[in-house]
């Protein structure tokens, strides 16, 4: 769940970061600061039209670069609490490399969700090619109001990782993306409880994401939880409406005793374990990000029956 959201964000945010930096640096030479700030807000509204944006503070200089503070994205008609809050964003150009290589180059730093995203940005004008690399540290998913609102469920955890992306600016097309992510000490609520488990807590979740030729591939996915350990892999087909994106995953889990506590029948639990014979439970996940379905292969009918008996 976490990785699917971040994949979509990378496709949008690299372009927006470049646009804001280039726009602000150029217009600063021609217009008063207040006008540049208004143009930056217009750029955000155009890139993310489902939110209404405000920028509380703005500074720009040829050597210090662009700095924006208190960037808030609100639901239209409701400015009481932002759905997205970026505390701080800075792009610092590397003038020496930019002149030497005849391209826009520099470093960026973003503070949001009690964490940071920082790295480098390079734009080759002739090829209209944008490359963004970076590292994520301490991003708190519970601080991103839009995430829970979009997915209609509670999502928690602390995310860290690294990424590298390349895109064509003119077409706004993401050519390639590789992300290595780790989420710790969180939980994901389930819309449909599994054997009485309404949410999956986890100590550690990892995944490697590749995006190429319009496909989002998830590889080396793993989960460590007090309920289970598991692995998974698959792909996501992104849609303009993020929550309508479709997911296709396959994986397996090794359930711990806590996974079966919701059954409340020791004889049934013993019977399931005897059938498993120490083998993992294989599963498939399909559907949309907002409403995914989990199918436990050979145990699907049994789990469905047990879940109905609990109602």
């Amino acid at each position: 769940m976490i990785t699917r959201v971040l994949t979509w964000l990378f496709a949008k945010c690299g372009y927006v970061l470049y646009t804001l930096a280039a726009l602000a640096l150029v217009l600063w030479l021609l217009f008063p600061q207040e006008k540049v700030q208004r143009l930056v807000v217009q750029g955000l509204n155009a890139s993310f039209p489902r939110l209404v944006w405000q920028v509380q503070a703005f500074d720009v200089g040829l050597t210090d670069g662009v700095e924006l503070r208190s960037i808030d994205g609100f639901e239209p008609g409701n400015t009481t609490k932002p759905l997205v809050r970026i505390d701080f964003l800075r792009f610092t150009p590397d003038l020496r490399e930019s002149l030497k290589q005849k391209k826009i180059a520099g470093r960026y730093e973003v503070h949001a969700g009690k964490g940071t995203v920082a790295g480098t940005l390079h734009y080759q004008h002739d090829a209209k090619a944008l490359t963004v690399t970076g590292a994520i540290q301490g991003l708190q998913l519970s601080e991103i109001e839009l995430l829970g609102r979009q997915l209609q469920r509670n999502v928690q955890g602390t995310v860290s990782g690294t990424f590298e992306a390349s895109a064509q600016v003119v077409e706004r097309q993401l050519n390639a993306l590789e992300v290595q992510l780790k989420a710790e000490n969180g939980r994901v609520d389930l819309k449909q409880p599994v054997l009485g488990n309404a949410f999956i807590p986890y100590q550690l979740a990892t995944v490697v994401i590749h995006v190429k030729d319009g496909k989002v591939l998830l590889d080396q996915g793993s989960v460590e939880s007090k309920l289970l350990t598991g692995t998974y892999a698959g792909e996501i087909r992104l849609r303009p409406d993020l929550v309508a994106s479709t997911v296709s995953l396959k994986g397996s889990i090794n359930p711990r005793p806590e996974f079966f506590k919701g059954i409340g029948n020791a004889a049934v639990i013993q019977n399931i374990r005897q059938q498993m014979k120490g083998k993992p439970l294989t599963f498939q996940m399909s559907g949309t990000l907002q409403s995914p379905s989990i199918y436990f292969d050979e145990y699907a009918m049994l789990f469905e029956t047990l879940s109905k008996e609990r109602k």
Side-chain angles (χ1 to χ4, degrees):
M1 197 72 64
I2 296 165
T3 56
R4 301 161 204 159
V5 175
L6 290 174
T7 300
W8 176 83
L9 287 176
F10 285 129
K12 299 279 285 186
C13 292
Y15 170 77
V16 172
L17 185 63
Y18 156 74
T19 301
L20 292 178
L23 178 69
L25 283 171
V26 173
L27 294 181
W28 176 74
L29 301 173
L30 304 174
F31 298 101
Q33 183 167 309
E34 293 77 10
K35 186 165 186 178
V36 179
Q37 184 170 339
R38 289 198 299 271
L39 290 171
V40 169
V41 171
Q42 290 175 13
L44 284 168
N45 286 331
S47 298
F48 299 93
R50 295 191 178 186
L51 299 176
V52 177
W53 293 88
Q54 295 180 5
V55 177
Q56 299 299 325
F58 175 91
D59 290 304
V60 62
L62 286 178
T63 56
D64 296 333
V66 182
E67 184 175 303
L68 296 88
R69 295 184 294 278
S70 298
I71 309 165
D72 294 332
F74 297 92
E75 184 179 15
N78 183 2
T79 58
T80 57
K81 185 178 182 181
L83 296 180
V84 176
R85 164 159 285 177
I86 299 173
D87 302 310
F88 175 89
L89 184 154
R90 176 193 289 148
F91 175 77
T92 306
D94 186 331
L95 297 180
R96 178 179 296 181
E97 184 177 356
S98 297
L99 293 173
K100 182 178 179 180
Q101 301 293 334
K102 296 181 180 180
K103 62 183 179 182
I104 296 176
R107 297 191 61 81
Y108 67 89
E109 182 178 351
V110 180
H111 292 214
K114 297 184 177 179
T116 62
V117 183
T120 62
L121 180 149
H122 295 82
Y123 174 63
Q124 191 70 46
H125 179 72
D126 294 342
K128 301 295 187 293
L130 175 68
T131 301
V132 181
T133 65
I136 306 165
Q137 293 290 338
L139 181 65
Q140 302 289 328
L141 296 175
S142 60
E143 294 292 320
I144 306 175
E145 186 76 18
L146 182 63
L147 180 60
R149 177 77 65 89
Q150 287 279 321
L151 297 177
Q152 297 182 2
R153 72 191 69 195
N154 181 25
V155 180
Q156 299 178 14
T158 303
V159 175
S160 60
T162 60
F163 61 89
E164 180 174 350
S166 62
Q168 293 300 125
V169 172
V170 175
E171 295 85 1
R172 300 191 185 186
Q173 176 182 340
L174 183 67
N175 295 333
L177 170 68
E178 180 171 335
V179 189
Q180 297 188 30
L181 284 180
K182 175 176 68 175
E184 298 177 282
N185 302 321
R187 60 178 276 176
V188 178
D189 287 7
L190 303 176
K191 283 199 168 183
Q192 295 293 331
V194 176
L195 298 182
N197 296 299
F199 64 91
I200 301 295
Y202 62 87
Q203 286 75 53
L204 178 64
T206 64
V207 70
V208 176
I209 306 171
H210 299 277
V211 177
K212 195 168 185 179
D213 300 327
K215 290 185 178 181
V216 181
L217 305 177
L218 307 182
D219 192 22
Q220 302 176 44
S222 67
V223 179
E224 181 78 25
S225 165
K226 69 177 184 179
L227 301 181
L228 53 88
T229 61
T231 60
Y232 65 91
E235 69 175 39
I236 301 166
R237 295 186 179 274
L238 294 176
R239 301 287 184 266
D241 183 2
L242 174 63
V243 295
S245 300
T246 58
V247 58
S248 177
L249 297 180
K250 291 184 178 181
S252 63
I253 65 171
N254 291 292
R256 302 186 192 276
E258 289 84 352
F259 182 77
F260 297 108
K261 277 189 174 180
I263 296 178
N265 187 318
V268 172
I269 296 174
Q270 182 64 23
N271 183 46
I272 293 174
R273 287 200 171 279
Q274 288 178 350
Q275 291 184 51
M276 290 176 59
K277 296 179 180 178
K279 297 184 298 183
L281 289 171
T282 58
F283 71 91
Q284 301 178 51
M285 179 182 290
S286 60
T288 65
L289 296 186
Q290 192 175 72
S291 299
S293 299
I294 302 176
Y295 183 82
F296 281 96
D297 294 341
E298 60 182 297
Y299 296 95
M301 293 186 64
L302 175 60
F303 283 10
E304 183 178 354
T305 299
L306 291 173
S307 296
K308 287 181 178 179
E309 289 177 354
R310 288 182 48 83
K311 296 181 179 179

